Amino acid sequence: MVEPIGPARVLVTGGAGYIGSVVVEELLSGGAEHVVVLDDLSKGHAEAVVAPARLEIGDIADASLVGRLCREGELDAVIHLAASSLVGESVQNPAKYYRDNVVKGIALLDAVVAAGVRRFVFSSTAAVYGEPGGSPITESFETVPTNTYGETKLAFEKALSWYQRAYGLEYTSLRYFNAAGATARNGERHVPETHLIPLVLATAYGALPHVTVFGDDYLTPDGTCVRDYIHVSDLARAHVLALGARDASGPNIFNLGCGGGFSVAQVIEVARRITGRTIRVKSGARRPGDPPVLVASSQRAQEVLSWKPQRQDLATIIEDAWRRLLSHPFGYGGP
């Protein structure tokens, strides 16, 4: 069940990033009393942090800084989104991912526990499941990551479980695939950009000559891969609901998904309709390790967190992202 969280006082790590900034928006609109963002701005943007939330520029592994923020703010909870998250890079440079996602994460946990904070929400990933043999993916599926990114997220989840047993840290872990869409205030801006929807819209805008489709001969209805796309506002709301999650029937681990998933070809076709622009497509070879279908079931999250996507229609997701791109073509702080 979900318990009322009251006037929460929350630290959001990575709160200047794409998902984190919208989590902050949701916290404030939900009446959070005090929100502080900890971000090193290596990927985030100071302009994305919505007032009256306060931005503290720093490292999550800085124990003295984390302890001070927890004590001074008399914090109730931490929502942890700061991470390195590029799958390809994680395979090429596993040291960076173990350092950023595990070593620094443990340092954060130690500082949080030492400061007396006992509520922790973790932004995990459905990549912990690797290449599952079925769909939709439920929380009971075996966790066999196929890349360092998924492996380090799973390692941190396991650490959370032991910290709960030893130190009474109440945690919730949220596993999901692709955040998409935008709010009026915040949108997706990555360098380099690897996500499909912003690449498709950048092509429609004219910033890219074409979008590459990696494989069109999969055993799916149109031959292209099928994936989950969740509106970033829905995703952010799940993080806020998770602050009050209490489930005695099992671990507080929840998949977040849109239900049926959308193919690459569907995304491109809907983007053409929404933008009214030409979107050139180039066919590419399959990428190693790309399963035909990756869709997560959110049934447990709906039952326990009372969470249900409200903006899961693909046209809505793309329309919101397109509107944001047109109003902020250079992202944050551009000309």
Side-chain angles (χ1 to χ4, degrees):
M1 66 175 181
V2 175
E3 298 178 355
I5 61 172
R9 304 179 67 83
V10 185
L11 171 68
V12 182
T13 71
Y18 172 44
I19 300 172
S21 62
V22 183
V23 168
V24 171
E25 288 188 56
E26 287 287 329
L27 283 167
L28 295 174
S29 65
E33 182 179 301
H34 177 80
V35 179
V36 59
V37 168
L38 176 58
D39 201 301
D40 64 6
L41 299 186
S42 59
K43 302 180 187 70
H45 308 272
E47 300 89 344
V49 178
V50 180
R54 179 170 67 86
L55 171 64
E56 185 79 30
I57 301 173
D59 196 311
I60 62 170
D62 186 338
S64 61
L65 172 60
V66 172
R68 175 174 61 80
L69 294 176
C70 289
R71 288 187 294 269
E72 288 180 355
E74 299 180 340
L75 300 183
D76 307 306
V78 172
I79 300 179
H80 178 39
L81 298 108
S84 291
S85 58
L86 298 178
V87 169
E89 181 188 54
S90 79
V91 175
Q92 296 168 357
N93 190 2
K96 170 181 171 62
Y97 279 68
Y98 273 95
R99 181 175 59 250
D100 291 353
N101 297 352
V102 181
V103 177
K104 289 187 177 184
I106 296 299
L108 171 69
L109 275 183
D110 287 342
V112 165
V113 169
V117 178
R118 290 293 181 269
R119 191 81 192 96
F120 198 95
V121 175
F122 177 47
S123 174
S124 188
T125 173
V128 300
Y129 297 110
E131 299 179 23
S135 180
I137 303 165
T138 69
E139 293 84 356
S140 64
F141 274 46
E142 188 178 8
T143 50
V144 189
T146 56
N147 54 66
T148 314
Y149 168 59
E151 191 70 56
T152 55
K153 287 284 193 171
L154 182 59
F156 190 76
E157 281 193 5
K158 291 179 178 180
L160 284 170
S161 177
W162 288 107
Y163 271 62
Q164 180 181 56
R165 298 182 201 185
Y167 310 121
L169 180 70
E170 297 182 6
Y171 79 94
T172 300
S173 183
L174 303 176
R175 296 172 175 173
Y176 51 90
F177 284 116
N178 302 297
T183 67
R185 180 69 172 73
N186 286 302
E188 197 163 4
R189 184 70 173 180
H190 300 119
V191 180
E193 185 57 75
T194 61
H195 295 166
L196 177 64
I197 288 178
L199 290 174
V200 168
L201 294 182
T203 304
Y205 188 76
L208 294 175
H210 61 263
V211 61
T212 302
V213 175
F214 296 102
D216 56 9
D217 57 351
Y218 287 94
L219 293 178
T220 60
D222 59 29
T224 63
C225 289
V226 174
R227 295 291 184 266
D228 254 329
Y229 296 94
I230 310 175
H231 198 288
V232 66
S233 293
D234 288 329
L235 203 53
R237 188 162 42 83
H239 285 75
V240 176
L241 287 170
L243 288 173
R246 304 290 188 277
D247 183 15
S249 66
N252 278 331
I253 294 175
F254 302 95
N255 291 346
L256 303 176
C258 65
F262 305 103
S263 73
V264 173
Q266 282 180 301
V267 169
I268 294 170
E269 191 55 41
V270 172
R272 285 176 173 144
R273 176 165 57 84
I274 294 297
T275 65
R277 306 282 184 94
T278 298
I279 300 176
R280 293 186 61 240
V281 174
K282 181 178 179 181
S283 294
R286 290 188 182 191
R287 294 180 296 193
D290 256 357
V293 179
L294 287 175
V295 176
S297 167
S298 61
Q299 182 177 346
R300 188 161 182 267
Q302 293 182 33
E303 293 173 352
V304 179
L305 300 182
S306 300
W307 176 81
K308 186 175 182 180
Q310 297 176 349
R311 301 181 70 79
Q312 69 181 33
D313 180 70
L314 181 59
T316 299
I317 291 172
I318 291 177
E319 186 173 15
D320 287 351
W322 179 240
R323 186 182 298 112
R324 170 71 186 177
L325 175 60
L326 291 178
S327 62
H328 296 79
F330 302 101
Y332 298 97

